[in-house]
Amino acid sequence: MSAEQDQDGRVAAWSETELGVEGVVRDVVRAPAAVLSTPGADVDPCAAETVRLAADLVATMRVSPGCVGLAAPQVGVSARVFCVDVADHPKTRTHHGTFVLCNAEVVEASRNEKAREGCMSVPDLTGDVKRATRVVVRGRLPGTGEEVTVVTDAFEARALQHEIDHCAGLLFLDRAAGAHAIHPRKTYL
Amino acid sequence: MTTHLAATVLGHDRPGIIAETTAILAGLGLNLEDSSMTLLRGHFAMTLVCSGPVPAAEVEAALAPLADDGTLVVTVREVPTEDVPATRGTSWVLTVHGGDRPGIVSAVAAEVARVGGNITDLTTRLAGELYLLVAEIDLPADVDVEAVGAAIRAAGEELGVGATLRPAEADEL
């Protein structure tokens, strides 16, 4: 087993019970809230406030219909923390269940594809966005602060890039493929 | 003699407007060369350029029944043939979003015009309190793109909106 696969296993085995705190459901902020356009600050993954934030993100994602990822700026906190869970999405191939990453960055990306994205913070619009379908993402787990590497593809890769963008103060609108790439949303989950 | 005509149809949306308009144009032997059709705040808006051996006044008269119920406005004008010049500069996509207020489009467009840039496509959307502008822009080859981006961001900041400028990617296959 390679080191990367081993680290993938650690992320796949992770669950929010490791955090040891009960998450609180928070309000999701919507554009044009300034926090969504502000680059988030690095966090100390071992700090108690980061652990609480991680638990709150997971709790808020769980109660939000169709939500496959949520970043700290979306609950009003300008910090580089997000959670993801694409396990039940039909476009998912590889997935690692529920996990939270702190200070994450894309270290490898390849095979771009365009697809339509929506966002809880931009509820009335969707947009065509080109993103890599194979990525390697490195970040730290909240609580223990372990550095982990996630190697993934397809929908999980897209979700990770969308959330990492949130942490950098970017919305999918900032990556629209062109003037005809933004559409009024027709169905709400 | 073949003429080029620009037709606009604007007004209350309902099913069938495109089918009826294009059927009349086809019946006159006109060829649809370019068109843009969308809903703007629920209003139907169509602009099309067509060509054929029919005078503008005759086409407008043929389309007039579309406006009989008073909910649509139809105009037809002759336009000169335009050669589409090859772009010698670079192509960019500009996204601007933030709280809605008057003046966002004009402030951004002014910065593009200042350097001789040309906006080739532009869409704006108002969604709740969020105002969004996405534009495709050609910039002259000798322009300092970073400076243009900075000027647009500065204009946006004065209005409380953020801007992102990035290359328009085309996949050559």
Side-chain angles (χ1 to χ4, degrees):
Chain A
M1 184 182 282
S2 75
E4 273 186 350
Q5 285 170 328
D6 191 27
Q7 293 220 328
D8 264 9
R10 174 68 181 102
V11 176
W14 190 91
S15 85
E16 67 269 32
T17 56
E18 285 193 25
L19 296 170
V21 292
E22 193 77 22
V24 174
V25 174
R26 300 212 198 179
D27 289 338
V28 175
V29 301
R30 295 180 174 189
V35 68
L36 293 169
S37 299
T38 307
D42 283 354
V43 296
D44 172 359
C46 301
E49 61 178 354
T50 306
V51 172
R52 273 198 306 275
L53 175 61
D56 291 356
L57 287 171
V58 174
T60 308
M61 176 176 69
R62 292 254 192 263
V63 301
S64 306
C67 182
V68 295
L70 198 63
Q74 293 182 276
V75 297
V77 181
S78 193
R80 292 179 63 208
V81 184
F82 66 82
C83 66
V84 156
D85 185 353
V86 301
D88 297 327
H89 196 280
K91 289 183 180 170
T92 296
R93 282 218 303 264
T94 305
H95 76 81
H96 297 77
T98 306
F99 58 97
V100 177
L101 291 181
C102 303
N103 308 332
E105 56 188 358
V106 177
V107 292
E108 282 180 44
S110 62
R111 303 199 187 187
N112 285 340
E113 266 180 25
K114 197 161 73 178
R116 194 164 289 191
E117 292 185 16
C119 178
M120 283 179 73
S121 294
V122 189
D124 300 322
L125 301 171
T126 62
D128 301 323
V129 181
K130 196 168 170 183
R131 297 201 193 266
T133 63
R134 300 274 178 96
V135 293
V136 178
V137 168
R138 192 173 296 145
R140 291 185 182 275
L141 293 175
T144 64
E146 294 161 82
E147 184 176 274
V148 291
T149 303
V150 181
V151 182
T152 193
D153 58 22
F155 193 65
E156 194 176 59
R158 181 168 290 270
L160 285 169
Q161 292 167 86
H162 181 110
E163 302 309 331
I164 288 169
D165 268 359
H166 269 305
C167 293
L170 295 172
L171 297 172
F172 74 85
L173 302 173
D174 294 301
R175 297 213 186 265
H180 297 283
I182 298 292
H183 314 276
R185 185 188 282 277
K186 296 203 169 71
T187 51
Y188 290 86
L189 291 166
Chain B
M1 185 189 125
T2 295
T3 55
H4 277 84
L5 305 169
T8 63
V9 181
L10 295 169
H12 177 69
D13 189 39
R14 61 169 171 78
I17 299 173
I18 294 171
E20 293 162 28
T21 306
T22 53
I24 293 168
L25 296 174
L28 291 169
L30 292 162
N31 189 40
L32 280 187
E33 293 193 347
D34 239 342
S35 63
S36 174
M37 311 176 192
T38 191
L39 286 178
L40 300 174
R41 302 259 105 190
H43 303 283
F44 179 77
M46 171 162 71
T47 307
L48 48 86
V49 171
C50 53
S51 64
V54 191
E58 196 177 312
V59 178
E60 194 164 72
L63 292 174
L66 283 168
D68 276 352
D69 68 356
T71 64
L72 288 174
V73 176
V74 182
T75 66
V76 181
R77 295 287 180 273
E78 191 170 328
V79 291
T81 305
E82 299 277 351
D83 291 325
V84 182
T87 303
R88 279 180 293 279
T90 54
S91 297
W92 301 82
V93 179
L94 170 68
T95 301
V96 178
H97 58 83
D100 185 34
R101 57 165 292 169
I104 296 171
V105 178
S106 63
V108 169
E111 294 304 328
V112 177
R114 199 185 307 282
V115 295
N118 193 34
I119 298 173
T120 57
D121 211 341
L122 183 145
T123 297
T124 67
R125 296 279 179 192
L126 178 60
E129 292 173 19
L130 172 66
Y131 192 81
L132 166 72
L133 177 159
V134 185
E136 292 170 38
I137 295 166
D138 289 339
L139 292 176
D142 57 353
V143 151
D144 179 346
V145 177
E146 279 192 24
V148 176
I152 290 171
R153 281 192 295 278
E157 273 170 24
E158 283 190 22
L159 298 168
V161 297
T164 320
L165 183 67
R166 61 207 181 285
E169 287 183 50
D171 297 318
E172 303 292 340
L173 298 170

